[in-house]
Amino acid sequence: DQVKRVDDEPYHLDSDTNQIGYKVMDSVSFNATYGYRTIFAYMQEAENGNLKNSSSTLSKVMAMSVSCGQFSYANISPARILGVSGTLRAMGKYELNLLAKYGMKKLMY
């Protein structure tokens, strides 16, 4: 299914570094990925001849992601929560009340 969806999220190929990046906010992040779609995007660019030294690049990016589990940090009741959000000032009353619901009472900006 992800092979067919490789172009769902537009990506940027930096031909100097052979890296695929995605738009995050107002810039391109080469750390952001979309799972196997990113790998298929590399394969597509290699097939189209757009990668320099494609075999080396593909050997770096070809990997199988193994999920070992997921959980919500809000549901584990940690003793301390550090670095929850860098956008606290932009939150409205609803969002702040939601944070308070999960015990986040002290906010520092």
Side-chain angles (χ1 to χ4, degrees):
D1 179 49
Q2 291 195 25
V3 162
K4 296 175 187 171
R5 297 174 46 211
V6 72
D7 293 316
D8 279 5
E9 194 65 37
Y11 61 85
H12 169 77
L13 173 65
D14 184 326
S15 57
D16 293 329
T17 62
N18 277 350
Q19 289 183 298
I20 286 180
Y22 294 93
K23 183 177 179 191
V24 176
M25 303 294 259
D26 291 332
S27 64
V28 174
S29 170
F30 294 99
N31 295 320
T33 65
Y34 285 89
Y36 294 117
R37 281 188 279 171
T38 302
I39 294 171
F40 294 134
Y42 275 104
M43 294 171 73
Q44 178 175 282
E45 293 299 331
E47 189 175 281
N48 292 339
N50 296 328
L51 295 178
K52 300 173 190 169
N53 196 358
S54 62
S55 61
S56 173
T57 300
L58 290 177
S59 70
K60 290 177 189 174
V61 300
M62 299 278 286
M64 185 181 345
S65 176
V66 178
S67 177
C68 296
Q70 291 180 305
F71 60 92
S72 169
Y73 286 98
N75 293 327
I76 63 170
S77 301
R80 302 221 185 324
I81 297 176
L82 304 173
V84 173
S85 176
T87 57
L88 291 174
R89 292 175 200 240
M91 289 185 178
K93 190 173 184 175
Y94 174 80
E95 290 90 356
L96 292 169
N97 287 337
L98 190 59
L99 288 177
K101 176 183 169 186
Y102 285 101
M104 295 176 215
K105 299 172 186 149
K106 186 173 185 178
L107 307 175
M108 297 183 181
Y109 330 10

